[in-house]
Amino acid sequence: MASNPVRVLIVDDSALIRKMLTEMLSRDPDIEVIGTAQDPYVAREKIKSLNPDVITLDIEMPKMDGIEFLKKIMKLRPMPVLMVSSLTQQGADATLHALEIGAVDYVAKPTQDLQHGLAEKCEEITSKVKAAAAARVQSRPGGKPARIQRLSSAPGYRSTETVVAIGASTGGVEALTNVLTVLPPDSPAILVTQHMPASFTRSFARRLDGICAINVTEARDGVRVLPGHAYLAPGDQHLQLSRSGANYTCRIGGQERVSGHCPSVDVLFRSVADCAGNNAIGVILTGMGKDGAKGLLAMRQAGARTLGQNEASSVVYGMPRVAQEIGAVEEQLSLSQIPRRILEICVSEKGKAIRV
């Protein structure tokens, strides 16, 4: 028996955007657009009467902006919300705030040739709407972060010999924030690939750097990889680990899509498998699709320790699920357990070369 289609409410002050999104989503037999609204006040009444499965929500609207409306949704009636925002710096900052409040994902609205640019995103938008419908939504009223309980290094801890590679997609903003903010300043070097556009990764790195004990930057080509630092892949290029003499460095380059993405988690993980072998830890977090699964398997086969986020704590249990199914994950843990396990592995020399 076929499952019911995903029922979507489109909220946007632009009549053109509402029309385009309606036509685009309605082409998919698994999606039904049940209504549109030009502002949050109309949307509020339609949410009550239509009970949608997913809302697409514009950030910049009259009367009440999307951020304020999202706060009310997450407080009064938590439900999957897909943000529609511009690729500008202001749009990036607002979108990251929305993801912290509780939005599941976002679609970057083109800044030029809106009609053609949005049409090119048809597959991305429909897949994100379907993923949002299955996501685990948690209320975070006002987007206020919880008090950070930072971990301390254990006796015998050594970070200098270990490189940590982390991959994430849908739900990754919250997941990465939860992992990186609790790590101590002498944490191992960390390389991160998160699926997002270039302007978003710059903003995300700055936001993380302001709340983490470690230094967080957008990765640059040739930069030495050091303990106490996290390097985030630029949104439009691949990040790889490389060697320069006795040192690890970041290698940035290539814009081709690998496993459907640029930057790609698979590209990062495979480079870490090649360069760091059993001196590495691979972590695959929440996300839609399968990017990173084969790369994590390559890491495990090279002797690295590999961790996967479990289903219960994932916003979208896609990437971790595929990695688990192919045998790439050595240990499956809740999100809250992952930072401490990373530090424990750095302490223990035993079992560091566990192989498949």
Side-chain angles (χ1 to χ4, degrees), residues 8 10-28 31 33 35-36 56 84 107-110 112-123 125-126 129:
V8 181
I10 296 167
V11 185
D12 199 298
D13 67 323
S14 166
L16 175 61
I17 295 292
R18 294 198 303 273
K19 180 175 183 291
M20 288 186 66
L21 287 177
T22 298
E23 292 175 350
M24 198 179 296
L25 293 173
S26 296
R27 292 189 204 116
D28 192 306
I31 297 175
V33 177
T36 66
T56 71
V84 180
V107 174
K109 189 188 296 183
Q112 296 180 341
D113 192 2
L114 182 61
Q115 194 160 356
H116 181 259
L118 202 59
E120 288 185 334
K121 290 177 171 284
C122 180
E123 185 178 348
I125 294 169
T126 54
V129 164

Side-chain angles (χ1 to χ4, degrees), residues 323-344:
Q324 175 75 12
E325 287 174 350
I326 68 171
V329 176
E330 177 194 342
E331 296 180 63
Q332 195 169 59
L333 304 167
S334 70
L335 183 65
S336 62
Q337 294 173 312
I338 287 173
R340 185 176 298 280
R341 188 65 186 124
I342 289 172
L343 298 180
E344 288 172 350

Side-chain angles (χ1 to χ4, degrees), residues 210-231:
I211 57 176
C212 292
I214 59 175
N215 295 296
V216 183
T217 59
E218 190 178 56
R220 291 182 291 114
D221 192 51
V223 169
R224 186 179 172 190
V225 172
L226 297 169
H229 290 69
Y231 307 87

Side-chain angles (χ1 to χ4, degrees), residues 70-80 98-104 136-146 174 315:
L70 179 66
K71 289 178 182 177
K72 294 181 183 298
I73 291 172
M74 289 300 126
K75 182 178 180 180
L76 301 173
R77 191 171 179 167
M79 61 195 312
L99 294 171
E100 290 166 356
I101 293 169
V104 172
R136 294 167 182 79
V137 178
Q138 294 183 345
S139 176
R140 294 188 291 280
K144 295 179 181 178
E174 178 194 5
V315 172

Side-chain angles (χ1 to χ4, degrees), residues 78-273:
M79 61 195 312
V81 177
L82 181 68
M83 305 303 295
V84 180
S85 68
S86 72
L87 274 170
T88 62
Q89 192 62 62
Q90 183 179 1
D93 291 339
T95 302
L96 288 168
H97 188 197
L99 294 171
E100 290 166 356
I101 293 169
V104 172
D105 208 340
Y106 61 90
V107 174
K109 189 188 296 183
T111 53
Q112 296 180 341
D113 192 2
L114 182 61
Q115 194 160 356
H116 181 259
L118 202 59
E120 288 185 334
K121 290 177 171 284
C122 180
E123 185 178 348
E124 175 191 351
I125 294 169
T126 54
S127 62
K128 286 187 174 182
V129 164
K130 292 177 187 178
R136 294 167 182 79
V137 178
Q138 294 183 345
S139 176
R140 294 188 291 280
K144 295 179 181 178
R147 185 174 178 272
I148 297 172
Q149 298 286 337
R150 194 155 281 140
L151 299 172
S152 58
S153 304
Y157 168 78
R158 292 190 299 166
S159 68
T160 55
E161 296 180 3
T162 307
V163 174
V164 180
I166 303 178
S169 186
T170 313
V173 168
E174 178 194 5
L176 286 166
T177 300
N178 287 344
V179 170
L180 297 182
T181 52
V182 301
L183 291 174
D186 58 347
S187 293
I190 300 170
L191 278 69
V192 179
T193 290
Q194 159 75 41
H195 298 156
M196 58 172 52
S199 58
F200 284 47
T201 51
R202 286 191 292 272
S203 293
F204 189 34
R206 282 198 302 269
R207 291 169 84 91
L208 286 172
D209 190 55
I211 57 176
C212 292
I214 59 175
N215 295 296
V216 183
T217 59
E218 190 178 56
R220 291 182 291 114
D221 192 51
V223 169
R224 186 179 172 190
V225 172
L226 297 169
H229 290 69
Y231 307 87
L232 184 65
D236 55 356
Q237 297 182 81
H238 296 296
L239 168 62
Q240 297 182 69
L241 182 67
S242 184
R243 271 195 178 275
S244 179
N247 300 320
Y248 291 123
T249 61
C250 292
R251 189 166 82 220
I252 304 296
Q255 296 183 309
E256 73 284 358
R257 288 182 173 268
V258 177
S259 302
H261 298 277
C262 181
S264 165
V265 181
D266 272 327
V267 170
L268 171 62
F269 283 174
R270 284 176 178 138
S271 72
V272 175

